[in-house]
């Protein structure tokens, strides 16, 4: 069997042109994309968000351009964006960058834009600055354009997510080094954070260590609670790799004494729900049907009221991005979509459990990017 071809570059100018085409299809005249994951996705420039305006401006049927503070122009050249051939318009401290955006976009369009779209996480002062500079335009969100492009990962992006998944798997495989009776959640979390960096990430996004009753809070913050003998502990961890792609994986552990028969029963239901949801992933299936596959198993076993969140979220340059795996989302899955499958059962005041993997929809089904055990792992006290 011949070797697989290399996945190719992460960022090319085609991404910017694809955004322009989708915007035109939707009747949007200008996209204004400021620092954040949308900007990094489109042109590879990971700019720092600040009061000075940096923006990729994509006019309909015209050449895109970058507006940047002059003092940061060398950073654009040094970034992947510097290899894309984008025109860079540098502005000085006494200039009005919003007027520069408006003037240049209007000239390239041949008339003032009627519809201007900004990123969902654009700072309000930047969005309002664009609106003031183009008073006759309607301001809206660029999510219908950018989410549509970002949801479907390229082979290169899938390779980055797979590397991130393998790195976070290595952290979970070491959990017995830190998760022990008598240690606080905060102490365990600090060790996990150090391991996230040691195992191949450049940043720690989150460390959730929910022990005993704290495990019933899905987004529990680290606390001074001491891990006790017999506790169930939910460990949800993730980080950022050098290319900006994210990991996110949850496993549940029993510390010290093995859990009783009731826990074993409902944890087995949770495992079956996670398997069923993963197996349901294939092209053309609505996103909500993956949620339904997990929920039907849990509800059918009598635990439905304790599954209190959606089954999953997309992942890429953000830990949470489209598509969302939730009831009401009828979006058909497409090969290249990457998202979590993470059903949970949470018993208030007692304990909780969650199993989470990142999966990718493929031409013929699904690939799972996490490979650690999904059983309830018992760690020595």
């Amino acid at each position: 069997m011949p070797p697989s071809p290399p996945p190719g570059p992460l960022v090319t100018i085609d991404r910017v042109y694809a955004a322009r085409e989708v915007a035109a299809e939707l009747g949007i005249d200008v996209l204004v994309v400021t620092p954040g994951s949308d900007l990094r996705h489109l042109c590879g420039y990971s700019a720092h968000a600040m009061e000075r305006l940096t923006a990729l401006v994509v006019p309909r049927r015209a050449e895109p351009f970058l507006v940047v503070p002059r003092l940061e122009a060398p950073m654009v050249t040094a970034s992947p964006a510097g290899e894309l051939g984008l025109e860079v318009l540098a502005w000085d401290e006494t200039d009005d960058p919003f007027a520069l955006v408006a003037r240049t976009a209007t000239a390239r369009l041949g008339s003032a834009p009627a519809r201007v779209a900004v990123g969902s996480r654009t700072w309000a002062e930047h969005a309002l600055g664009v609106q003031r500079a183009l008073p006759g335009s309607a301001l809206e969100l660029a999510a219908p354009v950018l989410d549509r492009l970002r949801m479907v990962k390229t082979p290169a992006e899938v390779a980055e997510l797979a590397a991130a998944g393998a790195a976070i798997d290595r952290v979970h495989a070491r959990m017995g080094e830190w998760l022990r009776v008598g240690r606080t959640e905060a102490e365990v979390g600090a060790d996990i954070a150090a391991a996230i960096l040691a195992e191949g990430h450049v940043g720690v996004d989150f460390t959730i260590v929910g022990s005993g009753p704290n495990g019933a809070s899905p987004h529990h913050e680290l606390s001074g609670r001491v891990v006790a003998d017999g506790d169930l502990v939910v460990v949800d961890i993730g980080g950022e790799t050098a290319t900006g792609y994210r990991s996110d994986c949850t496993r549940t552990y029993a510390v010290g004494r093995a859990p009783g028969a009731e826990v074993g029963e409902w944890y087995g239901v949770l495992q079956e729900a996670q398997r069923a949801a993963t197996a349901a992933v294939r092209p053309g299936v609505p996103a909500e049907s993956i949620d339904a596959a997990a929920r039907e198993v849990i509800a059918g076993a009598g635990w439905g009221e304790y599954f209190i969140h959606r089954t999953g979220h997309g992942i890429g340059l953000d830990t949470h991005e489209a598509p969302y795996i939730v009831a009401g989302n009828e979006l058909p899955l497409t090969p290249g979509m990457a998202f979590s499958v993470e059903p949970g059962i949470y018993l208030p005041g007692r304990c909780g459990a969650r199993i989470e993997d990142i999966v990718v929809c493929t031409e013929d089904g699904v690939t799972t990017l996490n490979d650690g055990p999904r059983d309830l792992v018992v760690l020595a006290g």
Side-chain angles (χ1 to χ4, degrees):
M1 185 175 181
S4 299
L10 276 172
V11 181
T12 70
I13 192 64
D14 290 343
R15 283 189 177 178
V16 180
Y17 293 148
R20 185 177 65 184
E21 290 173 10
V22 175
E25 176 189 327
L26 298 178
I28 294 169
D29 296 306
V30 180
L31 293 174
V32 180
V33 183
T34 53
S37 57
D38 286 334
L39 181 66
R40 189 170 188 176
H41 172 82
L42 287 180
C43 70
Y45 184 34
S46 183
H48 179 63
M50 57 191 300
E51 75 283 357
R52 295 183 178 98
L53 179 69
T54 292
L56 172 66
V57 184
V58 186
R60 188 178 185 179
R61 301 184 305 274
E63 282 304 302
F65 57 95
L66 271 167
V67 169
V68 301
R70 189 172 300 281
L71 77 164
E72 295 190 351
M75 297 166 59
V76 178
T77 304
S79 78
E83 301 177 7
L84 301 186
L86 287 166
E87 181 179 6
V88 177
L89 303 183
W91 59 273
D92 294 308
E93 296 282 17
T94 55
D95 292 336
D96 180 347
F98 302 104
L100 177 60
V101 169
R103 184 171 62 250
T104 308
T106 297
R108 296 192 179 188
L109 286 167
S111 61
R115 294 175 62 192
V116 178
V118 298
S120 299
R121 298 176 189 175
T122 296
W123 283 13
E125 66 178 294
H126 293 160
L128 293 174
V130 170
Q131 190 170 50
R132 282 194 300 270
L134 292 165
S137 65
L139 196 67
E140 58 192 270
L141 292 179
V145 176
L146 300 176
D147 286 358
R148 180 165 146 187
L149 296 175
R150 289 181 57 178
M151 278 191 293
V152 179
K153 271 55 180 182
T154 65
E157 289 180 290
V158 172
E160 293 298 327
L161 288 170
I168 211 68
D169 283 350
R170 292 193 293 271
V171 179
H172 272 293
R174 297 176 56 191
M175 203 56 58
E177 297 176 28
W178 319 300
L179 183 51
R180 298 188 298 274
V181 171
R183 303 197 76 206
T184 67
E185 293 173 351
E187 289 169 338
V188 175
D191 288 336
I192 291 172
I196 289 173
L197 298 176
E199 294 292 352
H201 298 77
V202 298
V204 178
D205 284 336
F206 53 91
T207 54
I208 295 172
V209 180
S211 64
N214 291 339
S217 175
H219 282 177
H220 171 69
E221 297 283 345
L222 295 174
S223 76
R225 185 183 184 278
V226 176
V227 177
D229 185 32
D231 273 352
L232 291 188
V233 184
V234 179
V235 178
D236 184 354
I237 53 178
E240 177 185 359
T241 66
T243 55
Y245 288 81
R246 310 288 167 148
S247 62
D248 186 3
C249 182
T250 308
R251 295 292 185 260
T252 303
Y253 300 89
V255 182
R257 287 183 288 110
E262 184 199 31
V263 170
E265 184 272 328
W266 62 255
Y267 189 84
V269 170
L270 183 61
Q271 286 179 292
E272 178 54 33
Q274 213 254 354
R275 283 193 294 266
T278 301
V281 176
R282 60 184 182 276
V285 168
E288 67 177 356
S289 69
I290 311 306
D291 180 85
R295 209 163 294 280
E296 286 169 6
V297 172
I298 294 174
W303 300 95
E305 67 182 289
Y306 304 110
F307 181 14
I308 58 176
H309 55 71
R310 66 194 174 203
T311 294
H313 56 81
I315 189 169
L317 291 173
D318 288 316
T319 306
H320 285 196
E321 60 182 54
Y324 294 100
I325 310 304
V326 64
N329 186 1
E330 299 177 355
L331 179 75
L333 299 182
T334 300
M337 287 183 174
F339 49 88
S340 66
V341 175
E342 51 176 307
I345 293 175
Y346 309 95
L347 308 180
R350 293 175 55 192
C351 59
R354 182 164 64 256
I355 306 169
E356 176 185 18
D357 293 322
I358 301 302
V359 306
V360 180
C361 181
T362 64
E363 295 286 349
D364 56 0
V366 63
T367 294
T368 301
L369 300 186
N370 295 103
D371 198 32
R374 296 162 190 89
D375 296 330
L376 184 59
V377 175
V378 180
L379 301 175

